[in-house]
Structures are given as C-alpha cells and as structure tokens.
Amino acid sequence: MKRYEYSDDFNHDKYKAQEWKREHNAGGFRCSHCKQFVIINDIMGTVNRNHCNWCLWSKHVDEAKGDRLATCHGGMEPIGLTFKHEGQGKIGEIMLIHLCSVCDKVSINRIARDDPEQYVLDIFHRSLDLKDEIKQSLYKAGIDLLERNDTEEVNIQLFGNT
C-alpha cells in the first residue's frame, strides 16, 4: 500500500481531489466524533458537507476555507451560532461556530438543510453560558456570537415562527 509522504514535491491539490472523490464515491464519510455515517447528497442543501448532521461536529481539515491544508485533524466542537455577514444592518442565515478541540482554531460553517433544528437550537442555548474567555476570543476574531436577544430570529430561521 502506497503511503503519501510530505515533501516539497507533494501534490496537495491532487491529494485533495482524490479525497473528495473517495468521499463522494462512498456517498459520504464516517464522523470522527459520533462515528455515524454522514451522507453527502443534494438533500443537504449545500455544495459541501463540512460537519456531521447527527452531532454537528466537524473535523479540522482546512486552514483557509476549502484548502484542506490543516495538519491538526482535531475534532471541531459546535460551540455557538452567528449570523452570516450580509452587509450593514442586515441579518443573514444562521451559521455554526466550531472550535477545534486540539488547537483552538475557530471556523464558521453553513447549516445544512438536513441538520436537526433542535440540535442547532440546543447549541444556541448552551452558547449562552460560554466562558468569557471563549467569547472574547470570538470577538477578537470578528465573530459575533448570538445572544439571548437573538432568540426570536433564531426560532424564525429554524422553525419559521417565534
């Protein structure tokens, strides 16, 4: 079995394409957190699947969006919600905030159509009690963690009502 060795001549783009093809040929991937098989299909409502729709955890594979250059590969815990930046005074769609359990990298990911709304709401409620240290690091990274006064908008986006 051939093993990839990282060197100056390693073709990362080719490796990334092979990984993508392997996942899509298999119809999905196994979640590294809850071990459920996560299906990739058109029903999910987004082009890329970047988290498990069973537990909402992700895996640290990107340094910048879509680059697959991370070497950490730690589990990324869903710790809160934010709104997508849509411009001055506009509220965008709800986004998941993930925190790497190994290196503390933070990322923001779209919610997929097949993510359980109640799980997303549970993350919102848990995030209200996040440690101040985490809230400060999100603020410094330019991420606006949703707060209690965002409850009505969260419910509207998730359930279509208040």
Side-chain angles (χ1 to χ4, degrees), residues 9-120:
D9 61 337
F10 178 76
N11 186 332
H12 194 275
D13 289 333
K14 182 177 177 182
Y15 176 75
K16 184 171 108 173
Q18 288 170 339
E19 283 295 299
W20 183 89
K21 186 176 180 180
R22 183 185 59 76
E23 283 184 358
H24 283 270
N25 285 344
F29 60 91
R30 183 136 333 259
C31 176
S32 60
H33 180 72
C34 73
K35 309 303 183 214
Q36 291 290 330
F37 188 76
V38 180
I39 297 172
I40 297 174
N41 60 25
D42 294 337
I43 295 171
M44 65 187 190
T46 183
V47 176
N48 297 306
R49 167 66 75 189
N50 53 28
H51 61 272
C52 173
N53 64 319
W54 293 87
C55 67
L56 303 180
W57 276 64
S58 186
K59 188 174 182 179
H60 186 180
V61 295
D62 292 343
E63 287 304 321
K65 185 178 178 179
D67 68 7
R68 299 299 192 250
L69 292 175
T71 57
C72 175
H73 293 263
M76 297 192 79
E77 179 181 5
I79 61 165
L81 304 177
T82 189
F83 291 124
K84 183 175 182 180
H85 294 281
E86 295 288 344
Q88 188 75 20
K90 295 181 182 177
I91 295 177
E93 67 182 298
I94 294 172
M95 307 281 284
L96 286 168
I97 302 170
H98 284 103
L99 175 66
C100 182
S101 59
V102 175
C103 72
D104 292 334
K105 164 102 170 134
V106 175
S107 69
I108 298 173
N109 295 297
R110 293 182 71 188
I111 293 174
R113 185 180 299 143
D114 60 351
D115 291 340
E117 292 88 355
Q118 189 59 50
Y119 291 5
V120 176

Side-chain angles (χ1 to χ4, degrees), residues 1-5 15 18-19 22:
M1 182 167 150
K2 184 176 180 181
R3 299 180 82 189
Y4 287 105
E5 293 183 25
Y15 176 75
Q18 288 170 339
E19 283 295 299
R22 183 185 59 76

